[in-house]
Amino acid sequence: MSDIDKTAYDVLVDKISRRGVEVEKVKQRLKTQRIETPSWGYADSGTRFGPYKQAGSAVTIQEKIADAAQVHKFTGIAPTVAVHVLWDFPNGLADCETLAEYAGSLGISIGAVNPNVFQDRDYAFGSITNENPAVRKRAVDHMIDSIEIAKKLGSNVLSLWFADGTDYPGQGDFRRRKHYAEECLATVYKAMPAEMRMLIEYKPFEPAFYHTDFADWGMSYCFATKLGPNAHVLVDLGHHFNGQNIEHIVAFLIDEGRLGGFHFNNHKYADDDLTAGSINPYELFLIYNEIVKAEEEWIDPARPTNPPIAFMIDQAHVTKAKIDAMIQTVMQIQTAYAKAMLVDRKKLYEAQLAQDVVTAEMCLQEAFLTDVEPLLRRVREEMGLAPNPLEAFRASGYWEKVSKERGIRSGAGLGA
Ligand code: PSV
Ligand code: MN
């Protein structure tokens, strides 16, 4: 460690210790933080105007796993990769035979399994809310097949997103569609093994423009509670209207014991799928502030217990190099977590009781404005990693190598 790093670290420790923060505990929590990266984030992506191909983007699931392993190698906190069934396993179960072993050989494992009931033409008028029972059955069968894939891959998380919705008033009957969805989800839920969890994502717009059947957290929550204790809500940061208070939703769901996971990304206008913290790092910090607070009060017999949260990334932008962007997002999330642990909780609590708005807000601002880089560099070094994962990855030559070997190709991927 350089003298500059050591001095910066000592100054920071002195500052935050005076805030009542136990530095060693913070370091320990940072070392056990886990973030899941998405297989589709390594593949080519596109906009509604067409695919954007990059030299080096992954096409096969083996390549995506290899790229995800690089992110874990340099960050030390991203040991799982979420998969998207049709994009990653076009032949279903047959494609999964040796995949868990392959991932294991690269030091990672498979995380959430995402069925795909949105890209086929059959689903143009909905999947599990379609008026046609044959289409609904097709969607349910695919989700049940995905459960088998998850079992094969050693995954316990079935992550569901439905593009279902309508484009024009009158096109569909809201309540009938809701009933179809309830019925289909119940069939899928019953097919899950006891240890599996169902995450239900919501999104208020796109691709449907008039209404979506899973429009907000309240609808996902309602579907989940009707299904049973193993169904939870998935919060994708990009799936909110501008200005919506996501940290409030997070706190509310935790308090109800139904926050199942996140899809981290950032947006400025719609579901932009930009790297986390790129537009609004304060929002990311405020979300982590709720998570950290809940972690510290986790066991409260008076409240429902929240399940373990799946901290996943869902990004699919087109202008950044894929692995750079993924490492950047992991580092942003790590930074938000670190900062959130530096909040003077006692002072904040007292300020809230005293209705001292300025002091309360300053407790958050002071933590957010603290430069945690010296702490993160120290934690990474103690984990046997380079202090700056992005620089280290860039210096490794991996991206240049795969860009040359893989070149620009057509293949699996969102819009690709
Ligand atoms: C839909 O916009 C979504 O957020 C869902 O999670 C999908 O699975 C994913 O994006 C595909 O990129
Ligand atoms: Mn998502």
Side-chain angles (χ1 to χ4, degrees):
M1 176 184 304
S2 73
D3 285 350
I4 299 176
D5 272 3
K6 192 175 173 326
T7 310
Y9 177 75
D10 290 342
V11 170
L12 179 62
V13 168
D14 184 54
K15 185 173 167 183
I16 60 182
S17 302
R18 276 186 274 122
R19 237 181 257 167
V21 172
E22 292 181 62
V23 181
E24 284 310 314
K25 279 195 184 153
V26 169
K27 282 163 64 181
Q28 199 42 44
R29 286 165 79 185
L30 283 166
K31 288 175 191 170
T32 51
Q33 183 182 19
R34 291 292 172 259
I35 301 164
E36 182 161 309
T37 72
S39 66
W40 57 97
Y42 302 102
D44 274 323
S45 182
T47 72
R48 65 202 306 202
F49 303 109
Y52 285 72
K53 295 185 193 311
Q54 287 180 10
S57 294
V59 168
T60 65
I61 181 61
Q62 285 77 11
E63 289 170 350
K64 294 170 192 172
I65 289 174
D67 290 358
Q70 289 293 310
V71 176
H72 182 50
K73 179 177 168 192
F74 288 95
T75 63
I77 56 170
T80 56
V81 58
V83 290
H84 223 292
V85 174
L86 290 188
W87 298 337
D88 296 334
F89 317 120
N91 306 308
L93 209 52
D95 284 342
C96 305
E97 232 12 85
T98 55
L99 223 49
E101 294 76 45
Y102 175 67
S105 75
L106 297 179
I108 61 171
S109 57
I110 307 292
V113 171
N114 291 253
N116 184 320
V117 289
F118 52 83
Q119 77 182 24
D120 200 277
R121 178 71 203 148
D122 270 7
Y123 300 130
F125 296 102
S127 63
I128 59 170
T129 60
N130 199 302
E131 291 288 0
N132 182 343
V135 175
R136 298 201 297 277
K137 181 170 183 318
R138 184 174 168 201
V140 167
D141 287 349
H142 174 69
M143 287 186 271
I144 292 175
D145 289 347
S146 301
I147 292 174
E148 291 310 309
I149 288 176
K151 285 199 233 163
K152 180 96 202 157
L153 296 172
S155 164
N156 276 334
V157 176
L158 186 73
S159 191
L160 305 180
W161 173 66
F162 301 97
D164 294 30
T166 59
D167 290 333
Y168 296 96
Q171 182 183 331
D173 182 285
F174 297 137
R175 288 174 53 205
R176 193 162 61 240
R177 292 173 70 99
K178 174 172 174 283
H179 300 163
Y180 291 148
E182 283 173 356
E183 206 178 281
C184 292
L185 285 176
T187 309
V188 178
Y189 187 84
K190 279 195 202 96
M192 294 198 312
E195 64 283 1
M196 193 170 282
R197 302 197 294 129
M198 177 189 280
L199 305 185
I200 306 175
E201 194 169 347
Y202 57 89
K203 182 172 179 174
F205 52 81
E206 196 200 48
F209 290 116
Y210 170 60
H211 106 283
T212 60
D213 291 292
F214 296 75
D216 63 24
W217 70 270
M219 296 185 195
S220 287
Y221 171 84
C222 191
F223 284 116
T225 44
K226 279 188 183 166
L227 288 168
N230 284 356
H232 309 125
V233 180
L234 171 57
V235 177
D236 182 315
L237 271 53
H239 295 189
H240 300 87
F241 293 118
N242 289 329
Q244 215 168 338
N245 187 332
I246 304 177
E247 58 271 23
H248 181 201
I249 296 171
V250 166
F252 198 100
L253 286 171
I254 288 176
D255 204 58
E256 291 297 325
R258 290 283 170 171
L259 180 66
F262 285 97
H263 270 177
F264 288 114
N265 50 41
N266 211 174
H267 74 143
K268 183 154 179 68
Y269 299 108
D271 185 23
D272 307 339
D273 279 342
L274 300 174
T275 50
S278 57
I279 303 294
N280 191 348
Y282 192 45
E283 178 185 70
L284 188 60
F285 163 81
L286 292 173
I287 289 168
Y288 259 95
N289 176 50
E290 295 303 329
I291 296 163
V292 164
K293 184 167 178 289
E295 277 176 1
E296 287 162 7
E297 302 165 348
W298 214 238
I299 303 158
D300 177 353
R303 307 288 331 163
T305 313
N306 198 70
I309 299 171
F311 295 96
M312 302 176 287
I313 294 170
D314 181 4
Q315 65 186 31
H317 45 77
V318 294
T319 46
K320 287 180 175 173
K322 301 289 169 183
I323 302 179
D324 279 5
M326 205 62 80
I327 293 177
Q328 218 188 0
T329 281
V330 171
M331 290 171 73
Q332 281 285 339
I333 298 170
Q334 189 179 38
T335 301
Y337 187 41
K339 289 184 175 197
M341 285 189 277
L342 304 189
V343 173
D344 188 334
R345 301 261 155 225
K346 189 167 170 283
K347 190 169 167 190
L348 175 60
Y349 176 70
E350 283 162 3
Q352 287 170 346
L353 292 189
Q355 304 190 353
D356 179 349
V357 183
V358 170
T359 303
E361 188 198 12
M362 287 310 293
C363 286
L364 298 183
Q365 290 272 351
E366 275 165 18
F368 176 65
L369 294 173
T370 306
D371 177 8
V372 291
E373 211 35 43
L375 175 70
L376 295 176
R377 290 172 76 87
R378 172 66 70 98
V379 165
R380 292 179 191 128
E381 280 184 349
E382 287 181 7
M383 291 169 77
L385 302 165
N388 184 324
L390 187 55
E391 273 176 20
F393 169 71
R394 286 184 152 186
S396 75
Y398 179 89
W399 189 245
E400 288 71 21
K401 185 170 167 286
V402 295
S403 300
K404 222 178 185 171
E405 284 167 7
R406 296 174 183 168
I408 296 180
R409 299 167 300 168
S410 294
L414 192 63

